[in-house]
Amino acid sequence: DRAWKKQDIGAPAEATIAAFRGRGLSRIPLHGPLSWTVPGCVDGWFRLHERFGRIPWPALFETAIRAADEGFSVTPVIARMWQEAQPLLAGNPGSAAAFLPRGRAPRAGETVRNPDLGSSLRQIALDGPDAVYRGAIARGLSACAGRVGAFLSAGDLAAHASEWVEPLSLSFRGVDVWELPPNTQGVVVLEMLNILSGYDLASLGPRSADYLHLWIEAKKLAYENRARWIGDPADSPPGASVSGLLAPEHGVLQRHRIDPNRAALEAAPSEHPARSCDTVYVTAVDRDRNACSLIQSVFHSFGSGVAPEGLGFVVQNRGSLFHLDPDHPNALRPGKRPFHTIIPAMVTRDGRPLFSFGVMGGDMQPQGQVQILVNLLVHGMNPQEAGDAPRVRHDGSSTPTGDAMQEGGVVHLEPAFGDAVAAALRRKGHRVETSDGGYGGYQGIWIDEETGMLLGGSESRKDGLALGI
């Protein structure tokens, strides 16, 4: 069954370009209540369970409720991210109460409880999505919206509906790679693979400057189309489609635009920076080799930074991704879904699941996915090796606030690539920086076609694990 679930988190009915401009705003704030859209995840969970689930709905929440009630130990990675978000959380009473329980961010090793979240999860376990869209949680959300000045209303919540969508796919190295369609950026992965498919990547090796140059230039071209085309397809002009980006002839045309010896000086803006402290990716494969690839996020660290009192969770800030230019493909309109960064992925061969995976991290998600796939499918790495291999990240030609950056953007390399590779890329005209962070968070499961064995890979740069039971 190839059906994929996509959560519809559209803009509230009163969230219009005129309403924001009437408040003197030229862009939607990154944080705060004006960045809210309708939260779609709970209805998404329920529809997935309704169609594919085997465990009773209430049982799904038992472990999470126990962790919220009894507490969990904070890891060093999460403690650092929590500390960075402390000023944001301190600015809202509900967020401070839920997430700064000692008046500060928890430290590594401390135990944190969130009984309000446990109560919310119990209501969802009992009443399903009605708790969030029509019941007690909906009332708490809409009451908070009224207090803090959000556009979200009880009517917006009640009108929510998720939808099943048909995924996009591309054949690459004898397999089919599957991604969610717009309003997500899954097509970016497929366009990059389409461009790179015309090169002898195996002969270049995974760490060479020549390979990295081709990868960077393919990324620039694919992100240029991301900025030009991707928005809610229900709001797109008649005839607008991204399917042409996956045609073989498009890959040929894009390769003609790449100079193998010189970096292009134009690069699409990095509007959705690489951040993965707000996102969780999970993949699971069962005894019958059914596979699930799932990613969930509140976008930025602690989302909007606003937690409705007594509910134990923050509301996401996905609405900040909208534009207030009415001609932009991602222009704000009531009910419209914003551009989305999160993209669970899957690989099949002859219609059967082969590899279920994802990479957390905003702008880094397509970049990371392509690197994982090339490592696996071209260079023959196993799932753990493919994730442990050093990564590259390219940031576009401007920051999320519109501040100018270097022409052609900036190439970030992990130190393991070495100084010689960095120097070779600079000779091709790239601006190169070496850094330790910002390369996403990967998880994946490979299904061995001969033995049926499951081979897991887990991100070594962050918390995570590969577990067989």
Side-chain angles (χ1 to χ4, degrees):
D1 194 327
R2 216 171 59 224
W4 290 35
K5 188 67 180 170
K6 183 159 64 175
Q7 302 153 9
D8 182 333
I9 50 174
E14 295 184 6
T16 64
I17 292 175
F20 278 92
R21 289 181 173 170
R23 297 186 182 205
L25 297 171
S26 59
R27 61 183 299 122
I28 298 173
L30 185 61
H31 299 295
L34 295 181
S35 65
W36 292 6
T37 57
V38 179
C41 68
V42 176
D43 188 63
W45 299 342
F46 188 80
R47 303 306 163 196
L48 279 169
H49 178 265
E50 190 175 49
R51 184 162 179 174
F52 297 112
R54 296 179 178 178
I55 299 172
W57 172 260
L60 299 176
F61 297 86
E62 291 174 355
T63 301
I65 291 170
R66 184 165 59 251
D69 287 347
E70 300 176 5
F72 61 94
S73 296
V74 179
T75 66
V77 172
I78 297 301
R80 174 177 55 80
M81 296 173 176
W82 213 322
Q83 177 65 39
E84 292 171 354
Q86 181 170 306
L88 175 66
L89 297 170
N92 175 261
S95 300
F99 299 107
L100 303 177
R102 299 173 178 88
R104 57 167 173 79
R107 300 187 179 108
E110 290 184 337
T111 298
V112 174
R113 297 175 60 250
N114 189 341
D116 287 340
L117 178 60
S119 177
S120 292
L121 292 175
R122 282 190 185 87
Q123 292 178 61
I124 295 170
L126 180 64
D127 298 330
D130 277 349
V132 174
Y133 302 101
R134 295 169 185 83
I137 296 174
R139 291 190 290 274
L141 279 168
S142 57
C144 177
R147 287 193 298 271
V148 300
F151 290 117
L152 186 70
S153 70
D156 295 317
L157 292 165
H160 166 78
S162 300
E163 66 174 353
W164 294 99
V165 298
E166 190 70 19
L168 301 171
S169 69
L170 180 84
S171 178
F172 180 79
R173 297 298 193 271
V175 301
D176 293 316
V177 181
W178 297 89
E179 298 281 350
L180 281 172
N183 55 312
T184 77
Q185 59 180 341
V187 68
V188 176
V189 176
L190 304 182
E191 185 180 5
M192 287 183 68
L193 293 175
N194 190 15
I195 297 168
L196 292 171
S197 66
Y199 297 106
D200 184 3
L201 302 179
S203 68
L204 297 178
R207 298 194 185 192
S208 72
D210 287 339
Y211 160 64
L212 293 177
H213 171 73
L214 295 175
W215 181 94
I216 295 161
E217 298 305 292
K219 181 269 179 186
K220 292 177 185 176
L221 295 172
Y223 277 62
E224 176 185 273
N225 284 323
R226 184 186 80 162
R228 179 180 299 161
W229 294 109
I230 298 182
D232 186 344
D235 191 63
S236 298
S241 172
V242 297
S243 60
L245 304 178
L246 309 184
E249 55 269 26
H250 175 77
V252 173
L253 291 173
Q254 294 289 62
R255 286 191 290 275
H256 283 320
R257 297 177 62 190
I258 295 177
D259 184 333
N261 300 306
R262 199 68 191 164
L265 295 182
E266 295 182 357
S270 290
E271 298 182 278
H272 320 292
R275 298 180 65 102
S276 51
C277 50
D278 55 273
T279 304
V280 172
Y281 175 80
V282 179
T283 181
V285 177
D286 69 11
R287 69 184 66 184
D288 299 317
R289 299 311 180 248
N290 298 305
C292 178
S293 182
L294 185 147
I295 194 165
Q296 186 166 302
S297 176
V298 292
F299 189 37
H300 276 71
S301 181
F302 288 91
S304 65
V306 179
E309 291 86 341
L311 296 185
F313 60 83
V314 293
V315 182
Q316 38 74 20
N317 62 328
R318 286 288 172 185
S320 65
L321 289 163
F322 280 120
H323 283 250
L324 298 184
D325 174 1
D327 296 323
H328 194 280
N330 194 35
L332 173 66
R333 285 177 186 57
K336 181 177 178 177
R337 295 169 298 183
F339 171 93
H340 252 248
T341 54
I342 52 177
I343 45 171
M346 197 170 291
V347 177
T348 64
R349 193 187 327 258
D350 299 327
R352 303 178 65 177
L354 179 66
F355 183 51
S356 180
F357 79 112
V359 178
M360 301 171 279
D363 254 7
M364 184 62 197
Q365 291 196 32
Q367 301 185 54
Q369 284 197 19
V370 171
Q371 291 175 78
I372 295 293
L373 289 169
V374 170
N375 288 341
L376 279 165
L377 302 175
V378 176
H379 300 299
M381 299 183 192
N382 67 43
Q384 189 61 49
E385 291 170 333
D388 289 342
R391 290 188 200 140
V392 57
R393 184 182 86 247
H394 177 265
D395 288 340
S397 57
S398 68
T399 67
T401 57
D403 299 328
M405 287 173 62
Q406 286 283 333
E407 284 187 312
V410 179
V411 176
H412 300 267
L413 295 180
E414 285 197 292
F417 280 110
D419 293 340
V421 169
L425 287 171
R426 291 188 183 104
R427 288 193 294 271
K428 291 179 181 288
H430 297 282
R431 180 182 176 182
V432 180
E433 296 181 1
T434 300
S435 58
D436 290 318
Y439 297 97
Y442 149 77
Q443 311 288 334
I445 301 174
W446 181 277
I447 304 173
D448 188 284
E449 295 173 291
E450 294 184 3
T451 66
M453 181 179 291
L454 304 181
L455 305 174
S458 184
E459 183 60 69
S460 56
R461 299 161 184 84
K462 298 184 179 295
D463 298 325
L465 79 163
L467 177 67
I469 56 175

